[in-house]
Short mmCIF file of all heavy atoms in Angstrom, two decimals:
data_model
loop_
_atom_site.label_atom_id
_atom_site.label_comp_id
_atom_site.label_asym_id
_atom_site.label_seq_id
_atom_site.Cartn_x
_atom_site.Cartn_y
_atom_site.Cartn_z
N ARG A 911 26.66 23.51 -0.22
CA ARG A 911 26.50 22.60 0.91
C ARG A 911 25.01 22.42 1.24
O ARG A 911 24.56 21.32 1.55
CB ARG A 911 27.24 23.13 2.13
CG ARG A 911 28.77 23.06 1.97
CD ARG A 911 29.48 23.73 3.12
NE ARG A 911 30.94 23.68 2.96
CZ ARG A 911 31.82 24.22 3.81
NH1 ARG A 911 31.37 24.83 4.90
NH2 ARG A 911 33.10 24.14 3.57
N SER A 912 24.27 23.51 1.16
CA SER A 912 22.83 23.43 1.41
C SER A 912 22.16 22.50 0.39
O SER A 912 21.32 21.68 0.74
CB SER A 912 22.21 24.82 1.34
OG SER A 912 22.72 25.68 2.33
N ALA A 913 22.55 22.66 -0.88
CA ALA A 913 21.98 21.82 -1.93
C ALA A 913 22.29 20.34 -1.70
O ALA A 913 21.43 19.48 -1.89
CB ALA A 913 22.50 22.27 -3.30
N PHE A 914 23.50 20.05 -1.28
CA PHE A 914 23.89 18.68 -1.01
C PHE A 914 23.07 18.08 0.14
O PHE A 914 22.58 16.96 0.04
CB PHE A 914 25.38 18.64 -0.67
CG PHE A 914 25.90 17.23 -0.40
CD1 PHE A 914 26.31 16.41 -1.44
CD2 PHE A 914 25.94 16.74 0.90
CE1 PHE A 914 26.76 15.12 -1.18
CE2 PHE A 914 26.39 15.45 1.16
CZ PHE A 914 26.81 14.66 0.12
N VAL A 915 22.90 18.85 1.19
CA VAL A 915 22.14 18.36 2.35
C VAL A 915 20.67 18.13 2.02
O VAL A 915 20.08 17.14 2.44
CB VAL A 915 22.30 19.34 3.55
CG1 VAL A 915 21.39 18.91 4.70
CG2 VAL A 915 23.73 19.40 4.02
N VAL A 916 20.08 19.03 1.23
CA VAL A 916 18.70 18.85 0.81
C VAL A 916 18.55 17.60 -0.03
O VAL A 916 17.61 16.80 0.15
CB VAL A 916 18.17 20.08 0.07
CG1 VAL A 916 16.80 19.82 -0.53
CG2 VAL A 916 18.09 21.28 1.02
N GLY A 917 19.46 17.39 -0.97
CA GLY A 917 19.42 16.17 -1.78
C GLY A 917 19.57 14.94 -0.92
O GLY A 917 18.88 13.93 -1.12
N LEU A 918 20.48 15.01 0.06
CA LEU A 918 20.67 13.89 0.98
C LEU A 918 19.42 13.62 1.79
O LEU A 918 19.03 12.46 2.00
CB LEU A 918 21.86 14.17 1.89
CG LEU A 918 22.42 13.00 2.70
CD1 LEU A 918 23.02 11.94 1.77
CD2 LEU A 918 23.47 13.50 3.69
N GLY A 919 18.78 14.69 2.23
CA GLY A 919 17.56 14.53 3.03
C GLY A 919 16.45 13.86 2.25
O GLY A 919 15.64 13.13 2.81
N LEU A 920 16.39 14.12 0.93
CA LEU A 920 15.34 13.51 0.11
C LEU A 920 15.51 12.00 -0.02
O LEU A 920 14.54 11.32 -0.35
CB LEU A 920 15.33 14.15 -1.28
CG LEU A 920 14.61 15.50 -1.38
CD1 LEU A 920 14.78 16.09 -2.76
CD2 LEU A 920 13.13 15.32 -1.06
N THR A 921 16.68 11.49 0.25
CA THR A 921 16.87 10.03 0.20
C THR A 921 16.42 9.38 1.49
O THR A 921 16.50 8.15 1.62
CB THR A 921 18.34 9.69 -0.07
OG1 THR A 921 19.15 10.14 1.03
CG2 THR A 921 18.83 10.30 -1.34
N ASN A 922 15.94 10.21 2.45
CA ASN A 922 15.40 9.64 3.69
C ASN A 922 13.92 9.94 3.84
O ASN A 922 13.15 9.05 4.10
CB ASN A 922 16.15 10.23 4.88
CG ASN A 922 15.60 9.71 6.20
OD1 ASN A 922 15.64 8.52 6.47
ND2 ASN A 922 15.02 10.60 7.01
N HIS A 923 13.50 11.19 3.64
CA HIS A 923 12.08 11.52 3.80
C HIS A 923 11.69 12.63 2.84
O HIS A 923 12.41 13.61 2.69
CB HIS A 923 11.79 11.95 5.24
CG HIS A 923 10.36 11.74 5.62
ND1 HIS A 923 9.33 12.51 5.12
CD2 HIS A 923 9.75 10.84 6.45
CE1 HIS A 923 8.18 12.11 5.62
NE2 HIS A 923 8.41 11.11 6.43
N HIS A 924 10.51 12.50 2.23
CA HIS A 924 10.08 13.45 1.22
C HIS A 924 9.61 14.78 1.77
O HIS A 924 9.38 15.72 1.00
CB HIS A 924 8.98 12.81 0.37
CG HIS A 924 9.50 11.87 -0.66
ND1 HIS A 924 8.70 11.24 -1.58
CD2 HIS A 924 10.76 11.44 -0.91
CE1 HIS A 924 9.43 10.47 -2.35
NE2 HIS A 924 10.68 10.56 -1.96
N LEU A 925 9.46 14.88 3.08
CA LEU A 925 9.12 16.18 3.66
C LEU A 925 10.23 17.20 3.41
O LEU A 925 10.03 18.40 3.54
CB LEU A 925 8.86 16.06 5.16
CG LEU A 925 7.48 15.53 5.57
CD1 LEU A 925 7.42 15.35 7.06
CD2 LEU A 925 6.39 16.47 5.10
N THR A 926 11.41 16.72 3.03
CA THR A 926 12.53 17.61 2.73
C THR A 926 12.21 18.45 1.50
O THR A 926 12.88 19.46 1.27
CB THR A 926 13.80 16.77 2.48
OG1 THR A 926 13.95 15.81 3.53
CG2 THR A 926 15.03 17.62 2.42
N LEU A 927 11.20 18.07 0.73
CA LEU A 927 10.81 18.85 -0.44
C LEU A 927 10.49 20.31 -0.11
O LEU A 927 10.67 21.19 -0.95
CB LEU A 927 9.59 18.21 -1.15
CG LEU A 927 9.87 16.91 -1.91
CD1 LEU A 927 8.56 16.25 -2.30
CD2 LEU A 927 10.72 17.21 -3.15
N MET A 928 10.02 20.56 1.10
CA MET A 928 9.66 21.94 1.43
C MET A 928 10.86 22.84 1.57
O MET A 928 10.75 24.06 1.66
CB MET A 928 8.80 21.99 2.69
CG MET A 928 9.53 21.70 3.96
SD MET A 928 8.45 21.96 5.39
CE MET A 928 9.40 21.11 6.64
N PHE A 929 12.07 22.26 1.55
CA PHE A 929 13.29 23.07 1.59
C PHE A 929 13.73 23.50 0.21
O PHE A 929 14.68 24.27 0.09
CB PHE A 929 14.41 22.30 2.27
CG PHE A 929 14.18 22.05 3.74
CD1 PHE A 929 14.01 20.77 4.20
CD2 PHE A 929 14.13 23.09 4.64
CE1 PHE A 929 13.80 20.52 5.56
CE2 PHE A 929 13.91 22.86 5.97
CZ PHE A 929 13.73 21.57 6.43
N LEU A 930 13.07 23.00 -0.84
CA LEU A 930 13.47 23.37 -2.19
C LEU A 930 13.24 24.86 -2.51
O LEU A 930 14.13 25.51 -3.09
CB LEU A 930 12.76 22.49 -3.24
CG LEU A 930 13.20 21.03 -3.28
CD1 LEU A 930 12.42 20.27 -4.31
CD2 LEU A 930 14.70 20.94 -3.58
N PRO A 931 12.09 25.47 -2.17
CA PRO A 931 11.95 26.92 -2.44
C PRO A 931 12.98 27.75 -1.70
O PRO A 931 13.57 28.66 -2.31
CB PRO A 931 10.52 27.22 -1.94
CG PRO A 931 9.80 25.92 -2.13
CD PRO A 931 10.79 24.86 -1.76
N PRO A 932 13.25 27.51 -0.40
CA PRO A 932 14.34 28.28 0.24
C PRO A 932 15.69 28.04 -0.44
O PRO A 932 16.50 28.98 -0.52
CB PRO A 932 14.35 27.75 1.68
CG PRO A 932 12.95 27.30 1.92
CD PRO A 932 12.52 26.72 0.59
N LEU A 933 15.93 26.82 -0.93
CA LEU A 933 17.18 26.53 -1.60
C LEU A 933 17.30 27.34 -2.91
O LEU A 933 18.36 27.91 -3.22
CB LEU A 933 17.30 25.03 -1.88
CG LEU A 933 18.59 24.58 -2.57
CD1 LEU A 933 19.79 24.81 -1.65
CD2 LEU A 933 18.49 23.09 -2.93
N ALA A 934 16.18 27.41 -3.68
CA ALA A 934 16.16 28.21 -4.90
C ALA A 934 16.37 29.68 -4.57
O ALA A 934 17.08 30.40 -5.30
CB ALA A 934 14.83 27.99 -5.63
N TYR A 935 15.79 30.13 -3.49
CA TYR A 935 15.97 31.51 -3.02
C TYR A 935 17.45 31.77 -2.71
O TYR A 935 17.99 32.84 -3.06
CB TYR A 935 15.11 31.70 -1.78
CG TYR A 935 15.39 32.92 -0.95
CD1 TYR A 935 14.85 34.15 -1.26
CD2 TYR A 935 16.20 32.82 0.20
CE1 TYR A 935 15.09 35.25 -0.46
CE2 TYR A 935 16.44 33.92 0.98
CZ TYR A 935 15.90 35.13 0.66
OH TYR A 935 16.15 36.23 1.45
N GLN A 936 18.11 30.82 -2.06
CA GLN A 936 19.53 30.97 -1.79
C GLN A 936 20.33 31.12 -3.06
O GLN A 936 21.22 31.97 -3.17
CB GLN A 936 20.05 29.74 -1.02
CG GLN A 936 19.66 29.64 0.42
CD GLN A 936 20.27 28.42 1.06
OE1 GLN A 936 19.58 27.41 1.26
NE2 GLN A 936 21.55 28.46 1.37
N GLY A 937 20.04 30.26 -4.05
CA GLY A 937 20.78 30.31 -5.29
C GLY A 937 20.59 31.64 -6.02
O GLY A 937 21.56 32.22 -6.54
N LEU A 938 19.34 32.10 -6.07
CA LEU A 938 19.06 33.37 -6.76
C LEU A 938 19.72 34.53 -6.05
O LEU A 938 20.35 35.40 -6.70
CB LEU A 938 17.55 33.60 -6.83
CG LEU A 938 17.08 34.85 -7.55
CD1 LEU A 938 17.53 34.83 -9.01
CD2 LEU A 938 15.56 34.99 -7.47
N TRP A 939 19.63 34.60 -4.74
CA TRP A 939 20.25 35.70 -3.98
C TRP A 939 21.77 35.67 -4.12
O TRP A 939 22.41 36.71 -4.23
CB TRP A 939 19.84 35.60 -2.51
CG TRP A 939 20.11 36.85 -1.72
CD1 TRP A 939 21.34 37.35 -1.39
CD2 TRP A 939 19.15 37.74 -1.20
NE1 TRP A 939 21.20 38.50 -0.66
CE2 TRP A 939 19.86 38.77 -0.53
CE3 TRP A 939 17.76 37.80 -1.19
CZ2 TRP A 939 19.21 39.84 0.12
CZ3 TRP A 939 17.14 38.85 -0.55
CH2 TRP A 939 17.86 39.86 0.09
#
Side-chain angles (χ1 to χ4, degrees):
R911 291 174 181 178
S912 297
F914 181 86
V915 173
V916 171
L918 193 65
L920 279 175
T921 64
N922 178 63
H923 204 289
H924 281 184
L925 280 175
T926 312
L927 286 169
M928 72 175 164
F929 293 114
L930 289 180
L933 182 64
Y935 165 85
Q936 285 182 258
L938 181 61
W939 195 291

